[in-house]
Amino acid sequence: MLTTDYLIIGSGTAGMSFADQLLTDTNATIGIIDRHHMPGGHWNDAYSFVRLHQPSAFYGVGSRQLGSNRIDVSSLNRGYYELASGPEIVSYFDRLMQERFLPSGRVQYFPMCDHLGDGRFISLVSGAIQQMAFSKRLVHATFLNTQVPSTHTPSFRVAEGVKLVTPNLLPISAPGHQRYVILGGGKTAMDVGTWLLQMGVRPENIRWIVPRDSWVQNRDATQPGDAFFERTAGGMADRLEAAAEATSVADLFERLERRGQMLRIDRTVRPTGFRGATLSILEVEALSTIKDVVRKGRVRRIERDAIVLDEGTVDAAPDDLYVDCTAKAFSRRPPVPVFNGDQITLQLLRVGRYSFSAAFIAHAEAVYDDDVIKNDLCAPISTPDVAADWLRNMLSDLRNAKRWAAEKALRTWIAEHRLSGAGFPDTGAASSPEGIRILERLREARPRAAASLARLVAELDRPI
């Protein structure tokens, strides 16, 4: 029988970041089981032109930089830090496994295997079943159950002869079509629209089926480093002040939009969704040139000459190329305790920081002895879906940050950790007159924002 201290199910971003932090903080041995042939989780299944929403500096694992901290100069992301591509991320995790994890002598890796439960797993290639006993914890790194278009089954019917592809096949399927129909309103659909426009497709040749418009975050306020301190830290102050002053969800998002923190692709439509997508202003401006936007709910059926939706039917042409972007990405599962007996369930602890959250949980496991304390430090945050979730998540984020600040050693660890996004230099922008003013705004706004958000969330949750 195989043995290990920790058995991790999943070698995606969360599993790899957790394992990396364990290697740093402990002498523990680690077993990793994953269904893919390489580490990286859903990035193995992603479309070729996918990129991170936010800078590479916030992604990956704590021990190894992702990318080269380069400022883009020629893309729709120009002026901002680079966004790693899907292939770059897969290569990054593969090199991490081959150059750090396996050479450590403390990691056993079992790709192309499915966990059957209780440490039993089966090879998806040979069918052989093995057992791995763990002496400390079983770590679930697949709780969010990430879906991408290439691995999900559409919920609508498609007539024979209709050309439907996932974004993975779009580059080889795109030539020769008169019209492209994007199905879905999320970040994948935004990526597909941007890609088509960059490939020279005219906006009038793109139809976009948007079941629900969503707010998107402005990438301008998500940049790391001293050079962007005033925009990033100032943007956080803007968000907290907007939250402190808001009287409703609608009022809050109007305030966030006026302060440049939230964007919408169509200024004539008020979004109701929020899934955490982050775009540059240039990307929003490009996507806003697509005017054939259909808002009649979700697709139910696609015929050769018509698209049947929840709220009506629109025309179609036999040669239309449909691009399925309807996969839900993260599942909407109620949070569970991170530490529960001999199991750990990796979840989000800081808004938008999946890599950091997994590393934080590993650090808590290594440093603290009491699971009650660990769970108090590791209070999960749900993945967002609607605009009101932004309030709940920000309130949870503020709660976690306040709890972490009470631990001196933990404050230092967070400030120095590559993935935290907190480590601005003590000299330069942060200590300039404007930097000092921004820090004062943050200190003053945090308690007011927390009180206001708590009131608004209580109103939302009040029975009608």
Side-chain angles (χ1 to χ4, degrees), residues 136-156:
K136 294 185 181 295
R137 307 263 199 178
L138 178 66
V139 182
H140 296 280
T142 60
F143 181 79
L144 294 179
N145 190 30
T146 306
Q147 296 182 17
V148 295
S150 65
T151 60
H152 100 296
T153 301
S155 61
F156 49 87

Side-chain angles (χ1 to χ4, degrees), residues 210-233:
V210 179
R212 179 186 64 182
D213 285 72
S214 292
W215 291 99
V216 297
Q217 300 174 117
N218 188 347
R219 192 175 295 135
D220 188 75
T222 66
Q223 301 300 301
D226 201 51
F228 289 92
F229 177 83
E230 291 185 10
R231 279 185 274 181
T232 301

Side-chain angles (χ1 to χ4, degrees), residues 169-435:
L169 297 177
L170 183 58
I172 63 174
S173 303
H177 291 275
Q178 293 300 310
R179 183 166 63 175
Y180 305 85
V181 184
I182 304 171
L183 308 178
K187 183 59 167 60
T188 300
M190 297 172 195
D191 287 349
V192 167
T194 302
W195 185 85
L196 288 171
L197 293 168
Q198 289 178 316
M199 294 301 105
V201 176
R202 293 184 298 176
E204 56 267 32
N205 291 343
I206 302 173
R207 167 173 282 179
W208 195 353
I209 309 295
V210 179
R212 179 186 64 182
D213 285 72
S214 292
W215 291 99
V216 297
Q217 300 174 117
N218 188 347
R219 192 175 295 135
D220 188 75
T222 66
Q223 301 300 301
D226 201 51
F228 289 92
F229 177 83
E230 291 185 10
R231 279 185 274 181
T232 301
M236 174 55 77
D238 284 337
R239 293 192 291 277
L240 292 175
E241 288 167 352
E245 298 159 3
T247 59
S248 66
V249 175
D251 178 58
L252 172 59
F253 276 84
E254 287 178 3
R255 293 174 183 274
L256 291 171
E257 184 179 33
R258 286 198 297 269
R259 291 172 180 250
Q261 299 304 302
M262 287 289 172
L263 307 171
R264 47 179 159 166
I265 294 169
D266 188 335
R267 296 295 301 276
T268 69
V269 176
R270 178 176 295 281
T272 59
F274 176 75
R275 300 279 288 173
T278 304
L279 298 178
S280 69
I281 291 176
L282 291 177
E283 288 170 323
V284 169
E285 290 175 347
L287 290 169
S288 69
T289 64
I290 302 173
K291 302 300 183 183
D292 185 4
V293 180
V294 178
R295 296 181 174 89
K296 294 181 180 291
R298 290 183 169 84
V299 175
R300 294 302 177 190
R301 187 171 70 255
I302 303 177
E303 304 289 350
R304 286 178 59 80
D305 59 354
I307 307 171
V308 181
L309 302 112
D310 289 332
E311 301 167 14
T313 302
V314 295
D315 70 287
D319 190 51
D320 286 349
L321 179 65
Y322 296 87
V323 188
D324 179 20
C325 305
T326 61
K328 277 290 190 180
F330 301 119
S331 62
R332 291 278 293 171
R333 302 171 65 182
V336 300
V338 170
F339 298 91
N340 185 14
D342 65 354
Q343 300 193 33
I344 293 175
T345 304
L346 302 184
Q347 294 162 83
L348 185 66
L349 306 183
R350 171 172 279 180
V351 171
R353 297 283 187 268
Y354 295 98
S355 300
F356 172 76
S357 297
F360 186 100
I361 293 168
H363 184 67
E365 167 70 0
V367 172
Y368 296 90
D369 295 324
D370 189 337
D371 276 6
V372 173
I373 295 175
K374 293 178 186 180
N375 277 323
D376 188 44
L377 290 168
C378 300
I381 298 175
S382 297
T383 54
D385 184 53
V386 298
D389 290 335
W390 190 92
L391 286 73
R392 294 185 174 90
N393 290 2
M394 177 60 79
L395 182 61
S396 297
D397 196 279
L398 288 170
R399 182 268 176 202
N400 284 350
K402 183 178 180 180
R403 176 64 183 88
W404 299 344
E407 305 274 337
K408 182 178 180 181
L410 194 55
R411 287 202 311 271
T412 301
W413 181 85
I414 292 171
E416 295 175 351
H417 200 277
R418 186 185 83 78
L419 299 171
S420 71
F424 292 105
D426 292 330
T427 58
S431 57
S432 68
E434 179 60 20

